[in-house]
Amino acid sequence: MAENNHADTVTSGDSADHNSFVSEFHLAKMDCSSEERLVRMKLDGIQPEVALEFDLLQRSLQVFHQGNIDDITQRLESLNLGARLIETLEVEAADLSTAMASQAETDQKEASILKWLLVINGTMFFIELTVGWIAQSTGLIADSLDMFADAAVYGVALYAVGRAASLKLRAAHFAGWLQMILAVGVLSEVARRFMFGSEPASTLMMGFGLLALVANVACLVLISKSKDDGAHMKASYIFSANDVI
């Protein structure tokens, strides 16, 4: 009964559209970041805008909004995650602003991390490609292309920060296809060298391979704390972890 009263408070009267509210939902089937991303995508683009706070351990979601609770509830229920509205409370406008600001702060943090990753991988791409060509090392050339792929991934992810969740997902898909294309290119180069031969310089290979490892570890440390902040960041983390391995 109390739940219905809360919903009535939000949806009745034109003045509700100008007030701020927080609604708590329980999503029985939301137990990992994949479901969280589904929720973010479903509520992406909703007007007026909302701010989301997740608690995966308790399977709960707090939605800060301006009275569009019916639209929010319908979208969540359509995910079939067992969404149930617990309560809706009116809050100060400052609370909504704080939630929005927190979301913006997260975007800014992601952007800062991705810029550093882009610089590190872009620089290592040029270094390894040059040294790999001089040392006749397919390994260094392959790793330079991998650095280029990662730089492209970080660039796309940087573009996706603060934008639609669906765009972030497409950025992750793009990253996967790019890795596959480069893998085919490197295998072709290995086949060419196998047929025609080469004389790689082992000292250069090992020295710059070690430098690449240091760069990859630095990237992994930078992004590890933000790996669960969306599909685009998860993809970036996976690439960094693969590079270290």
Side-chain angles (χ1 to χ4, degrees):
M1 188 70 178
E3 181 178 318
N4 291 335
N5 289 338
H6 285 303
D8 291 341
T9 302
V10 172
T11 56
S12 62
D14 295 334
S15 61
D17 294 335
H18 304 289
N19 295 337
S20 300
F21 303 89
V22 58
S23 294
E24 182 178 353
F25 289 87
H26 179 73
L27 288 86
K29 299 179 183 179
M30 183 182 70
D31 57 3
C32 68
S33 57
S34 297
E35 281 87 15
E36 177 183 332
R37 285 194 290 275
L38 283 175
V39 172
R40 290 188 183 279
M41 290 176 64
K42 197 66 178 179
L43 296 180
D44 182 61
I46 194 169
Q47 292 297 328
E49 285 185 297
V50 299
L52 309 177
E53 290 187 4
F54 289 85
D55 186 341
L56 292 180
L57 212 58
Q58 300 298 324
R59 305 189 183 193
S60 68
L61 165 66
Q62 284 191 324
V63 183
F64 292 84
H65 58 92
Q66 297 179 57
N68 47 335
I69 187 61
D70 286 343
D71 192 8
I72 294 168
T73 303
Q74 288 171 8
R75 292 190 183 206
L76 290 177
E77 288 176 347
S78 69
L79 289 172
N80 295 319
L81 293 176
R84 180 169 60 90
L85 177 62
I86 303 300
E87 64 176 355
T88 295
L89 302 173
E90 187 169 358
V91 296
E92 298 292 333
D95 293 329
L96 177 62
S97 299
T98 299
M100 292 289 190
S102 176
Q103 205 159 278
E105 186 179 345
T106 298
D107 289 342
Q108 188 175 6
K109 176 187 171 186
E110 286 183 12
S112 178
I113 292 172
L114 290 168
K115 285 175 184 176
W116 276 108
L117 297 178
L118 182 59
V119 169
I120 292 172
N121 282 270
T123 302
M124 287 303 301
F125 161 66
F126 286 108
I127 292 175
E128 284 196 294
L129 183 63
T130 302
V131 176
W133 185 263
I134 294 172
Q136 297 187 54
S137 168
T138 306
L140 285 180
I141 292 174
D143 199 51
S144 75
L145 292 177
D146 187 56
M147 290 287 186
F148 171 77
D150 288 345
V153 169
Y154 299 139
V156 172
L158 184 60
Y159 173 75
V161 167
R163 289 179 168 83
S166 55
L167 181 59
K168 293 179 180 181
L169 193 60
R170 286 199 294 271
H173 289 165
F174 169 79
W177 282 108
L178 187 59
Q179 288 285 71
M180 289 182 65
I181 292 169
L182 290 176
V184 171
V186 171
L187 287 174
S188 299
E189 176 63 8
V190 170
R192 187 190 70 79
R193 287 177 185 260
F194 179 78
M195 293 176 62
F196 299 103
S198 65
E199 295 182 8
S202 59
T203 303
L204 283 175
M205 284 174 56
M206 290 186 291
F208 282 90
L210 180 61
L211 179 62
L213 176 61
V214 172
N216 287 326
V217 169
C219 290
L220 185 63
V221 171
L222 277 171
I223 202 169
S224 60
K225 293 182 180 179
S226 300
K227 66 179 184 293
D228 294 322
D229 290 346
H232 63 310
M233 297 299 285
K234 187 70 171 181
S236 300
Y237 172 79
I238 289 171
F239 289 138
S240 294
N242 286 342
D243 290 341
V244 171
I245 293 170

